[in-house]
Amino acid sequence: MTEQEKMKQGLWYDANYNPELLALRDKAEELCFQLNQTSPSDRITREQILCELLPHRGKDTVILSPFYADYGFHCRIGDATFLNHGVYLMDGAPITIGAHCFIGPNCGIYTASHPLTAEQRNQGLERALPITIGDNVWIGGNVTILPGVTIGSACVIGAGSVVTHDIPAGMIAVGNPCRVVRPITPEDRINLPD
């Protein structure tokens, strides 16, 4: 079994020294560099780079620079989703972000974990578990999402939270570790003047 096959199955794999995986990450890093050096007004070049880096991206997505991904092709981003400055998608396993999501600045979505013992860490071992974010989710700035987490649709995750466990749909959750505070209710609607 190849290291990439192990990675896709959620097994421990050689993330640091395997030439095939290093080449894939080098390509993504180069594309991220190109994207982050391209003027925001050069929409055509940015779109070309994003099509290569993130081939599973929906319509009308907005991704502000700087942006980083380890592979890019493991990410699925739904229509009309917005990723603010400094988002990092560590996509050793699939990262799925639904439609109409707001991802705040400097968010880290990390599928990878490493052995606790230094000897095994130094061998380059890693394991990656998928992360899923439902539709219509708002993730505040500086949120960290850890491997294997699912965030249900229509959630709000407070700024600075560290999401270590699944969050059910329709909840407000905050903190380190992130905990559900309460459901979002009709009383949360803003009453706008006509």
Side-chain angles (χ1 to χ4, degrees), residues 52-135:
E52 189 173 355
L53 177 63
L54 299 168
H56 310 293
R57 183 174 48 99
K59 297 181 298 181
D60 301 321
T61 59
V62 175
I63 299 175
L64 301 183
S65 294
F67 169 80
Y68 306 97
D70 278 3
Y71 297 95
F73 57 82
H74 289 150
C75 300
R76 282 163 174 60
I77 302 172
D79 294 344
T81 285
F82 176 84
L83 279 67
N84 212 321
H85 300 286
V87 170
Y88 175 28
L89 304 180
M90 183 186 283
D91 62 323
I95 294 175
T96 303
I97 301 172
H100 300 277
C101 292
F102 292 171
I103 311 295
N106 301 313
C107 284
I109 302 177
Y110 305 127
T111 65
S113 62
H114 305 280
L116 296 179
T117 63
E119 177 187 352
Q120 290 179 311
R121 261 195 322 275
N122 293 340
Q123 293 172 10
L125 293 176
E126 180 176 289
R127 184 173 75 167
L129 299 174
I131 293 173
T132 302
I133 299 169
D135 296 333

